[in-house]
Amino acid sequence: MKKVVAIYPGTFDPLTNGHLDLIERGSKIFDELIVGILRNPEKDPLFTVNERKEVLLRMTKRFANVRIDTFDGLLVDYARSKGARAVLRGIRAISDYEYELQMALMNRKLDPQIETVFMMPAEAYSYLSSRLVKEIYQLGGSIRGLVPELVEQRLKGKIKPKVIRPKR
Ligand code: PNS
């Protein structure tokens, strides 16, 4: 039988434990899972593509069938170029659903051969996002358990937390 290759696309700025949870789940059901980091300067990311790639490479070493790559342009074109039949996306809460449904249906319109597969991360990560991690870290809050230690170290090198004490 033909092996099933899936793309797990995203910005990963930075990688969270929710992303890692999904990568682990995806690696169990697909023969090969390619984590595709979008090279998108419009989003004004905190970490460069190479920094994000390096973190992902180190954090996914233990999964033999996971590869890390970067891409530009349309996701469906990239998926086709890799021989992928599926796109993996995580859905944390109902609020994700509308955006994800729109993307999945638009990708299906662009290429009906590619299926979007949704998976739910562990409940502990259902409220977690890269955006909140950056915001909390910047304001001096704890992000312990939300991102790998390596990401916490990398954040230290990028952001100097500004702790603002409320006035009494
Ligand atoms: O982690 P994100 O930011 O939610 O990931 C969004 C991503 C990368 C999956 C999406 O922006 C994407 O697929 N971009 C590639 C361009 C594209 O194909 N756009 C049309 C989507 S319907």
Side-chain angles (χ1 to χ4, degrees):
M1 226 168 67
K2 242 177 91 179
K3 66 175 197 169
V4 181
V5 179
I7 308 287
Y8 178 39
T11 311
F12 307 104
D13 184 45
L15 175 74
T16 68
N17 285 342
H19 294 130
L20 273 180
D21 179 274
L22 218 75
I23 291 171
E24 179 162 9
R25 287 173 201 281
S27 75
K28 288 181 186 156
I29 63 162
F30 298 111
D31 297 303
E32 184 180 349
L33 183 66
I34 303 173
V35 180
I37 308 167
L38 179 67
R39 281 195 297 261
N40 184 1
E42 276 163 42
K43 281 206 168 179
D44 195 19
L46 178 65
F47 291 97
T48 67
V49 171
N50 282 342
E51 286 168 337
R52 285 176 271 157
K53 187 173 176 183
E54 193 242 338
V55 164
L56 268 155
L57 280 170
R58 286 179 59 176
M59 297 312 303
T60 59
K61 262 201 310 237
R62 63 198 156 109
F63 306 118
N65 60 343
V66 172
R67 290 205 295 120
I68 311 299
D69 195 14
T70 63
F71 77 101
D72 265 327
L74 281 179
L75 174 61
V76 287
D77 290 343
Y78 172 64
R80 216 180 298 119
S81 76
K82 295 289 165 189
R85 278 198 280 155
V87 166
L88 172 64
R89 290 289 287 173
I91 292 214
R92 292 162 297 189
I94 292 285
S95 48
D96 281 339
Y97 181 72
E98 227 170 298
Y99 169 64
E100 292 298 335
L101 178 73
Q102 185 184 24
M103 269 208 306
L105 294 180
M106 186 57 85
N107 282 331
R108 180 185 283 168
K109 165 103 181 88
L110 293 169
D111 189 337
Q113 304 301 317
I114 294 171
E115 282 300 335
T116 299
V117 175
F118 293 120
M119 292 181 89
M120 278 109 32
E123 298 94 294
Y125 305 129
S126 60
Y127 53 85
L128 176 55
S129 74
S130 299
R131 184 183 63 77
L132 280 182
V133 163
K134 285 182 279 194
E135 188 174 312
I136 291 163
Y137 187 81
Q138 182 137 38
L139 296 172
S142 170
I143 52 166
R144 195 58 39 95
L146 302 180
V147 295
E149 263 183 53
L150 179 64
V151 169
E152 213 175 324
Q153 283 167 22
R154 294 296 147 90
L155 277 166
K156 268 189 200 135
K158 284 269 173 192
I159 301 178
K160 196 168 174 325
K162 282 186 283 206
V163 185
I164 301 165
R165 300 260 174 250
K167 288 195 186 106
R168 286 181 184 255

